[in-house]
Amino acid sequence: MATTNDLKNGTVMVIDGQLWQVVEFQHVKPGKGPAFVRTKIKNVMSGKIVDKTFNAGLKIETATVDRRDMTYLYQDGTDYVFMDEKTYEQINVPEEIVGDARNFMIDNQSVIVSQHDGTVLFVELPATVVLTITHTEPGLQGDRSSAGTKPATLETGYEIQVPLYMEEGTRIKVDTRDGSFSGRVND
């Protein structure tokens, strides 16, 4: 058991027998009345996001989540195969659980796989990953400093918007939270 004062992003709690992960939280202390915690929580199984307000200091049940460092190996049909970096045990994770993370995963990439009672809940990626642009239209001469963007396909097959001067074969950083371009990687 914990209290709402202990909440932080990523905390998984049990509400009405279902697992919910804290996406955002904010402690609010109004001038009048008791303090409260405003949260945005996501149902771990369905992916539904709701806003919920708790009184400050309210006891909540937290779920035991086992976070393991794993390596993404390959895709097997609709499943993704991961290997535990300590025990070398391999697990298959369905596409629905991997979710949008699949857009940014390449072979042999380290990720964190979170499990509860042996059931995989979600796959966490680093905040940014380095990927290579495999296809994009050529940039125009003179468009080196303008703020325009163009579509580019990454090595995972995912398409994002990049600055006009980016070319095929360029390695870039991509923000995994929203799929946006974060910068060029100078090798």
Side-chain angles (χ1 to χ4, degrees):
M1 290 297 257
T3 67
T4 53
N5 298 335
D6 302 325
L7 287 180
K8 56 184 181 252
N9 291 347
T11 301
V12 177
M13 55 188 168
V14 180
I15 300 173
D16 299 330
Q18 295 186 350
L19 297 176
W20 294 82
Q21 181 183 23
V22 177
V23 178
E24 289 178 17
F25 72 98
Q26 178 182 16
H27 290 275
V28 179
K29 177 83 174 91
K32 235 181 190 182
F36 59 91
V37 180
R38 185 179 295 135
T39 63
K40 187 176 282 192
I41 55 177
K42 175 178 156 185
N43 187 307
V44 172
M45 294 305 170
S46 71
K48 179 181 177 183
I49 295 178
V50 297
D51 293 326
K52 189 157 177 72
T53 303
F54 298 96
N55 291 331
L58 181 73
K59 289 196 181 307
I60 55 169
E61 182 182 351
T62 56
T64 305
V65 176
D66 180 20
R67 288 180 152 89
R68 292 188 184 181
D69 291 329
M70 295 200 170
T71 302
Y72 167 61
L73 298 178
Y74 58 91
Q75 187 174 357
D76 181 20
T78 60
D79 286 356
Y80 291 79
V81 180
F82 296 88
M83 178 184 68
D84 190 309
E85 292 178 0
K86 289 189 177 113
T87 65
Y88 302 110
E89 172 190 348
Q90 292 185 10
I91 61 168
N92 287 25
V93 179
E95 189 174 43
E96 310 83 65
I97 294 174
V98 174
D100 290 339
R102 69 178 173 265
N103 297 327
F104 311 108
M105 291 189 320
I106 56 173
D107 295 353
N108 299 318
Q109 180 178 357
S110 290
V111 298
I112 296 173
V113 176
S114 297
Q115 298 178 346
H116 174 69
D117 292 339
T119 304
V120 176
L121 301 177
F122 45 85
V123 175
E124 297 175 63
L125 294 173
T128 60
V129 292
V130 176
L131 297 170
T132 304
I133 297 174
T134 56
H135 176 75
T136 189
E137 296 298 320
L140 300 171
Q141 191 65 28
D143 276 339
R144 301 285 183 239
S145 63
S146 68
T149 61
K150 63 181 179 179
T153 305
L154 303 174
E155 60 189 298
T156 61
Y158 188 66
E159 190 174 282
I160 68 167
Q161 293 292 318
V162 298
L164 291 170
Y165 60 86
M166 287 291 149
E167 301 172 355
E168 288 181 16
T170 304
R171 292 170 41 84
I172 61 171
K173 277 190 208 171
V174 179
D175 188 322
T176 59
R177 294 167 294 205
D178 60 7
S180 63
F181 171 80
S182 289
R184 173 190 246 158
V185 175
N186 296 323
D187 292 325

